[in-house]
Amino acid sequence: MGEITKNEANFIGYEYKDVTVKRTMEAVYADGYRNFGWSLEGTSPPIQSVGSITMKFKRDRKIRNKTELTRLQRQFDACVSEIDMLERSKGLLSSAVAYLIGVAGTAFMAGSVFAYLDDRLALSIILAVPGFAGWVLPYFTYCSIRRKKTSRVSPLIDQKYDEIYEVCEKANGLLTR
């Protein structure tokens, strides 16, 4: 009977959370969630998403300052999603411009082929030059636009990481109280 009472006094109820994140953000979540009282139980690849990972966390249900920790955790999640959005924005415009140039080059090349089939060799050569240029330029355009966008977005990403560290520091301070 005394043994049962002793075990009941040491009982800890846990809450569980599964989070699916990109592999590149796995370390950020593992380190960050620790500051909100969560401990990483394991990871597994999700069924539907390539390049992502499902992280399984648990924490004590009766953790102190739970509401404030939850609020800070939402702020953390929002910052990480903003970082993800900023990272994606680096390649979005550059990809769109490169694709448009490539399609335009293909259109010129199609015109060149049709001109050749119609026995208009001079027109075929004239249309082939921008066609080939439209196939070569997208790579260089992509690299140039991405480099410029990265230089503009990198300070914003660094600010978001600083905000994440501040949020984690506040949350860690609440855990030790």
Side-chain angles (χ1 to χ4, degrees):
M1 193 75 146
E3 204 174 280
I4 293 172
T5 307
K6 184 177 180 184
N7 287 342
E8 287 177 6
N10 292 333
F11 174 76
I12 299 175
Y14 291 104
E15 60 182 323
Y16 299 92
K17 183 174 185 94
D18 291 352
V19 182
T20 302
V21 300
K22 289 187 175 183
R23 287 194 184 274
T24 57
M25 298 305 280
E26 180 181 2
V28 173
Y29 272 92
D31 294 340
Y33 268 41
R34 186 177 306 133
N35 295 302
F36 304 107
W38 295 100
S39 62
L40 182 63
E41 287 295 299
T43 59
S44 63
I47 296 170
Q48 73 277 10
S49 181
V50 177
S52 296
I53 191 163
T54 299
M55 303 175 74
K56 299 176 184 304
F57 294 98
K58 77 174 185 178
R59 78 172 171 189
D60 186 356
R61 279 189 163 298
K62 295 184 180 181
I63 193 168
R64 290 181 290 189
N65 303 314
K66 187 174 183 177
T67 51
E68 182 65 17
L69 286 170
T70 303
R71 185 188 69 76
L72 290 171
Q73 182 179 331
R74 283 192 199 116
Q75 191 176 350
F76 171 86
D77 290 336
C79 288
V80 171
S81 66
E82 287 177 28
I83 288 172
D84 182 42
M85 188 175 60
L86 288 169
E87 288 287 347
R88 279 188 283 138
S89 76
K90 287 180 184 178
L92 188 63
L93 177 66
S94 52
S95 293
V97 171
Y99 288 139
L100 285 174
I101 293 172
V103 168
T106 302
F108 275 106
M109 193 55 72
S112 173
V113 169
F114 290 133
Y116 177 76
L117 292 175
D118 197 30
D119 291 327
R120 296 182 182 178
L121 187 60
L123 179 62
S124 175
I125 293 171
I126 291 170
L127 291 175
V129 171
F132 283 121
W135 288 350
V136 174
L137 285 178
Y139 172 75
F140 299 107
T141 304
Y142 174 85
C143 291
S144 173
I145 293 173
R146 183 170 174 94
R147 192 177 326 110
K148 290 175 186 175
K149 184 74 171 180
T150 299
S151 67
R152 279 185 280 169
V153 170
S154 290
L156 298 174
I157 292 173
D158 290 340
Q159 283 178 333
K160 284 298 167 187
Y161 273 115
D162 291 341
E163 188 176 335
I164 284 175
Y165 298 138
E166 289 173 13
V167 167
C168 288
E169 189 175 15
K170 287 178 190 175
N172 197 328
L174 289 173
L175 284 179
T176 57
R177 287 186 196 169

